Amino acid sequence: MHVNRLAAIAAATLAAAVVAGCSGGAGQSAAPSSAAPSSSAAAQKVSLTYWNWVPNMDKVVAAWNKSHPNIQVTSSTQAGGDDAATKFLTAAKAGNPPDLMQAEYQALPSFVAAEAVADIKPAADAVKPEFGEGIWGLVTLGTDAVYGIPQDSGPMMLYYREDLFKKYGIAVPTTWDEYAEAARTVHRKEPKVFLGTFSSKDPGSFAGLAQQAGGQWWSINGESWKVAVDDEPTRKLADYWGGLVKEGVIDDMPYFTPQWNKALNDGTLLTWPSAIWAPGPLTSNAPKAKGKWAIAQLPQWNAGENHSGFWGGSAVAVAAASKHKEAAAEFATWLNTDPEALGLLVKHGQVYPAATKGAALLTEPPAYFSNVPGFWRQAATFTAGARGFTFGPNVNVAYNAFRDAFDKAVLSKTSFSDALRTVQDATVADMTKAGFRLAQ
């Protein structure tokens, strides 16, 4: 991909502040075109393709197709994750992308940088009040442009073994200082048991905790990107977990491994700071502990605060090359804000809707948490303070650098803040090589 601008950013084009990275060809390129709502969007019959990995999305789409005969949508199931993002960028570069794409929040900036998605602000403005400020920030990238409609979210909270907290005589920690003391207490009473673990394999989790701490790894300053992966809040976070690992009072096994599964099952791991979607993995990976876990707000850095962060989630973006942007934007807003659509997403897709009114549709607790009848109501309270965050155009580079640097730091018990500096340097070097203008 050729990098060919940032100096050409025009004030009249809101999207252009973030399309600084890659384009499909040489020469100056226009910013992604915008899509506005229009009564003429469905004047003639159009067909749209939507790439996504939500289970049973075809059942949700069927409801739209029934009530919108002139805008017919075909759902195409994709693998999800990095594979789906790469496939979409490849299709966009070749000029044959789908009209709509499910985009993980951390992947969306790379789509924008490649000019693969459209600014749909005119269509999105009407539904902005349906979403919290933090989640909306993930689709605007710190600008007035809007590059997708939030679909699902991953606000974080604390999952803990209620029965074992009672056994070891510890209270649910409300601050991270209390969490550290509880970790010491548990490990002192039973050296083979740990309150928690630090996973060097899961940068998304660390990014969510950095958000909670107030970190802002990427931001847009005029016509430039600012990179601050090692900002003060994130250094504080790194030093905190690095200190606990070095002290030996928490474990260092990665999440989603056989060792981790065993610890969740046999009660040698007592907490997991995770996202709203955690009941799924717990159901699969720790079946023996069903009914023994409870939920709480993430511990706070300062007593009395109410902050959280996001780990995971996705939006629905409209391809810049779509010939039917207005119709596509209309479908994207319906899918993620219409009460019927949200109900179907919850029922068939097992989605935790990003729209604030979506939480009201979740009434029965996950089967794994049958012991917590007010699970969703509590979760909404615990995650209401999710902070905003802007992902950059090379999240994949930063995340890979995180895994490498923190793997080494965990193995050698060396400084986590030094590892964080390595991630910062790798991220800046990659963006500089790619031709992005960086703020000093």
Side-chain angles (χ1 to χ4, degrees):
M1 293 184 291
H2 297 281
V3 179
N4 53 22
R5 67 197 178 287
L6 198 56
I9 294 177
T13 308
L14 294 173
V18 290
V19 295
C22 306
S23 67
Q28 294 287 15
S29 303
S33 54
S34 62
S38 170
S39 59
S40 63
Q44 73 179 74
K45 189 170 183 178
V46 299
S47 297
L48 306 174
T49 300
Y50 173 33
W51 285 5
N52 68 89
W53 53 87
V54 175
N56 301 308
M57 178 57 76
D58 57 326
K59 296 180 180 179
V60 186
V61 167
W64 164 272
N65 289 339
K66 183 177 180 180
S67 59
H68 296 78
N70 287 338
I71 305 176
Q72 295 290 286
V73 178
T74 299
S75 174
S76 176
T77 303
Q78 304 298 310
D82 292 343
D83 289 343
T86 300
K87 183 178 178 180
F88 174 71
L89 286 173
T90 300
K93 185 175 181 180
N96 58 353
D99 298 278
L100 299 116
M101 175 67 187
Q102 183 177 353
E104 290 183 303
Y105 295 120
Q106 70 267 24
L108 190 57
S110 65
F111 293 175
V112 175
E115 298 184 350
V117 293
D119 171 12
I120 57 172
K121 176 179 169 58
D125 277 346
V127 298
K128 180 179 178 181
E130 303 279 349
F131 303 92
E133 182 179 352
I135 202 73
W136 196 252
L138 295 174
V139 297
T140 59
L141 312 188
T143 74
D144 288 331
V146 182
Y147 297 106
I149 305 297
Q151 179 162 281
D152 61 330
S153 64
M156 298 181 72
M157 55 188 178
L158 184 69
Y159 294 81
Y160 69 97
R161 279 289 297 267
E162 188 173 27
D163 58 332
L164 297 179
F165 268 50
K166 292 178 181 177
K167 175 181 177 180
Y168 293 109
I170 55 175
V172 178
T174 61
T175 67
W176 285 114
D177 284 343
E178 291 178 0
Y179 185 93
E181 284 304 313
R184 296 182 182 107
T185 297
V186 169
H187 196 56
R188 183 172 60 251
K189 291 184 175 182
E190 180 51 71
K192 294 183 178 180
V193 175
F194 294 93
L195 185 69
T197 185
F198 177 82
S199 177
S200 59
K201 302 295 187 183
D202 291 281
S205 171
F206 188 81
L209 294 176
Q211 292 170 45
Q212 188 219 12
Q216 287 291 341
W217 291 3
W218 288 273
S219 60
I220 296 165
N221 185 359
E223 299 181 355
S224 304
W225 281 95
K226 180 179 180 180
V227 184
V229 176
D230 65 340
D231 60 9
E232 188 278 329
T234 311
R235 287 198 305 273
K236 175 177 66 176
L237 175 70
D239 287 338
Y240 173 85
W241 288 101
L244 292 178
V245 169
K246 188 173 184 178
E247 191 177 340
V249 296
I250 67 163
D251 209 331
D252 57 14
M253 58 183 166
Y255 301 146
F256 311 110
T257 61
Q259 181 188 11
W260 181 73
N261 295 343
K262 181 178 183 300
L264 292 177
N265 260 315
D266 64 19
T268 55
L269 187 63
L270 274 58
T271 70
W272 185 23
S274 189
I276 197 77
W277 42 257
L282 287 173
T283 300
S284 301
N285 301 332
K288 293 181 181 178
K290 178 182 178 181
K292 298 178 181 179
W293 288 77
I295 56 175
Q297 183 184 50
L298 277 182
Q300 302 293 301
W301 288 101
N302 298 298
E305 292 181 342
N306 178 28
H307 297 307
S308 184
F310 293 102
W311 181 11
S314 59
V316 179
V318 175
S322 173
K323 296 178 180 178
H324 308 292
K325 295 184 186 66
E326 294 180 14
E330 184 179 344
F331 169 74
T333 55
W334 173 88
L335 180 64
N336 299 304
T337 62
D338 182 86
E340 179 188 14
L342 292 175
L344 292 171
L345 283 173
V346 170
K347 179 180 179 180
H348 297 299
Q350 303 174 34
V351 165
Y352 182 77
T356 53
K357 62 187 177 187
L361 302 173
L362 299 161
T363 54
E364 295 298 319
Y368 192 85
F369 284 88
S370 58
N371 58 308
V372 187
F375 180 92
W376 296 114
R377 177 182 52 79
Q378 292 183 47
T381 301
F382 298 151
T383 62
R387 280 175 150 163
F389 194 76
T390 299
F391 285 104
N394 64 338
V395 171
N396 60 325
V397 171
Y399 278 13
N400 286 334
F402 175 93
R403 295 183 185 98
D404 291 342
F406 279 81
D407 276 351
K408 294 175 183 176
V410 165
L411 184 63
S412 60
K413 299 293 190 293
T414 53
S415 168
F416 276 24
S417 56
D418 286 350
L420 191 66
R421 165 56 66 175
T422 299
V423 180
Q424 166 76 8
D425 291 345
T427 306
V428 169
D430 177 74
M431 292 185 70
T432 301
K433 181 179 179 180
F436 288 90
R437 181 180 296 176
L438 301 181
Q440 298 301 316

